[in-house]
Amino acid sequence: VSLPPVIVLLVILGISLTHRLVGPLERLEDDICKISEGDYSVRINLRKDDDLRPIADVINHIIDKLEKK
């Protein structure tokens, strides 16, 4: 059975979009878990165009303040 090219393209775009959304969330979760275990050397690094970047910046700022105490 052959799939129409449009369906194949939509599946590829869907997988790509899902990876772009879920990847940063997974990195954020992993880093927050490390921080919660007391590893304040962790910094959350996301792409500049990532929608979660402002949250990562705030968390990094909080870690900086905790390290100074």
Side-chain angles (χ1 to χ4, degrees):
V1 177
S2 153
L3 293 176
V6 172
I7 292 176
V8 173
L9 181 61
L10 288 175
V11 168
I12 292 170
L13 287 174
I15 291 170
S16 175
L17 181 61
T18 300
H19 177 72
R20 183 163 169 81
L21 294 174
V22 173
L25 282 173
E26 288 177 342
R27 285 193 301 273
L28 188 62
E29 179 184 17
D30 290 344
D31 289 342
I32 288 173
C33 285
K34 290 175 188 172
I35 294 163
S36 72
E37 294 170 355
D39 185 358
Y40 296 138
S41 67
V42 173
R43 292 299 177 269
I44 300 170
N45 295 311
L46 300 176
R47 292 182 298 259
K48 291 183 185 201
D49 64 339
D50 199 303
D51 291 338
L52 296 174
R53 183 62 188 246
I55 295 170
D57 290 342
V58 168
I59 293 170
N60 289 336
H61 182 72
I62 291 168
I63 296 167
D64 289 339
K65 288 196 172 239
L66 288 172
E67 279 189 319
K68 290 179 183 177
K69 286 189 174 188

